[in-house]
Amino acid sequence: MKRLLKIYLEKPELAGAVLLALLIVLFEIASGGTFLSYENVRGILGLLPEVGLVAIGVTILMIAGEFDLSVGSVFALAPMVMAVVMVAGVPFAPALLLGLVVAGFVGFLNGFITLRFAIPSFITTLGMLFVARSVTVVISGGFPPVLPFDIPSWIFTHYVGIIRLSMFWFAAIAIALAGVLSLTNFGNWIKSTGGQIDAAAAMGISTGSVKMSCFVLCSVLAGFAGIIQVLRLGSPLPSLGEGLELQAVAAAVIGGASLYGGIGTVLGALVGALLIRIIDNGLVLSHVEANWFKFAIGTLLILAVVANAWLRRTSRRIKLEM
């Protein structure tokens, strides 16, 4: 028992990975062998970056001890800004950069309001969810713009075998951020800030700057994910990303991130995001009513939180007994 608890605390994403493997086997059987077909795996992986990038950003922010419920709105806002300025004649690269800058600015506002006025980030970002969504609708003018046909969207949407190029962007970002969390002082600062903020401040860590950086990173990743989706679809919609913030939080928690901060991994976010995509896809192929998707995600989220709480209480009790 003690050994299992130690493994879990060191690798919190393992429980999600085991569940992922079980679901793959279950859906392969239930779908009659079509779940792991070439075309279906191609479809699952093709859409994974759009959820995975948001989940990674939310996970890192949760490790720092904060939440962001505005990521779904930023997911829509960034590509809408990009599309509107491109229709006005701005080239692709500057337009994409402007969309990311706007996303980063939303993250900065979230961090500034939360830290400056000591407001819970849950409340700050809930308000920003409505603000950013409203701005998205307003700048669309009620008629979503259509992206020009001559933009190099292929750098995200083209397939190389079973893999869409957006997957390579996603993998590069995930590997880089995993390295930052595991191998750098800044990664240790993020974990310390979320886990023991008073001790981190006493050690000289600028906890405010760490949290602000995580807020901005979370929003930029959400904006980039939205841009990838719009380049795939060809036109932004003001309703893009609705409900995505809750899927991202669910992916983070299922992947082992703690609601109290200090614990979580990029790999866990990837596992959680992949679980959500597999459940969504697997239910359809298994001829299960699609409306059960949210039920499944909600149930997994509750079970993950309950399991995390029980395991941590058990580990603390064992430490006291030792």
Side-chain angles (χ1 to χ4, degrees), residues 97-116:
L97 182 61
L98 180 60
L100 294 179
V101 169
V102 170
F105 180 68
V106 173
F108 172 80
L109 286 179
N110 284 335
F112 177 79
I113 295 171
T114 297
L115 300 173
R116 177 65 178 82

Side-chain angles (χ1 to χ4, degrees), residues 248-271:
V249 171
V253 174
I254 293 169
S258 172
L259 293 171
Y260 305 103
I263 296 174
T265 63
V266 170
L267 179 58
L270 174 59
V271 169

Side-chain angles (χ1 to χ4, degrees), residues 218-305:
C218 183
S219 288
V220 169
L221 289 177
F224 187 50
I227 288 171
I228 289 175
Q229 183 172 103
V230 165
L231 290 174
R232 175 173 62 84
L233 298 177
S235 178
L237 296 173
S239 60
L240 286 179
E242 288 185 348
L244 182 60
E245 57 281 339
L246 301 182
Q247 289 189 34
V249 171
V253 174
I254 293 169
S258 172
L259 293 171
Y260 305 103
I263 296 174
T265 63
V266 170
L267 179 58
L270 174 59
V271 169
L274 190 54
L275 262 172
I276 288 175
R277 286 293 310 127
I278 282 177
I279 291 172
D280 190 13
N281 180 273
L283 289 177
V284 174
L285 289 183
S286 303
H287 305 291
V288 177
E289 172 62 44
N291 290 325
W292 285 104
F293 168 68
K294 291 182 179 179
F295 176 89
I297 298 303
T299 302
L300 276 179
L301 176 60
I302 293 172
L303 290 176
V305 173

Side-chain angles (χ1 to χ4, degrees), residues 60-66 115 181 185-215 260-263:
I60 291 175
L61 186 57
M62 286 178 63
I63 295 172
E66 302 291 349
L115 300 173
L181 272 181
N185 287 334
F186 186 69
N188 291 330
W189 296 347
I190 293 174
K191 295 172 186 176
S192 299
T193 297
Q196 297 287 343
I197 189 168
D198 293 332
M203 291 170 59
I205 297 173
S206 178
T207 56
S209 298
V210 170
K211 290 192 174 190
M212 179 65 78
S213 299
C214 292
F215 271 113
Y260 305 103
I263 296 174

Side-chain angles (χ1 to χ4, degrees), residues 110-184:
N110 284 335
F112 177 79
I113 295 171
T114 297
L115 300 173
R116 177 65 178 82
F117 300 102
I119 299 173
S121 55
F122 176 87
I123 299 300
T124 303
T125 57
L126 179 61
M128 191 60 69
L129 179 155
F130 294 108
V131 171
R133 183 69 65 182
S134 179
V135 171
T136 303
V137 174
V138 169
I139 66 174
S140 72
F143 299 94
V146 177
L147 297 179
F149 292 104
D150 58 346
I151 62 173
S153 59
W154 64 268
I155 62 175
F156 297 103
T157 60
H158 183 70
Y159 272 98
V160 177
I162 199 173
I163 305 296
R164 182 178 276 155
L165 289 183
S166 60
M167 190 67 182
F168 291 101
W169 289 86
F170 171 56
I173 292 171
I175 291 171
L177 291 177
V180 169
L181 272 181
S182 303
L183 305 174
T184 68

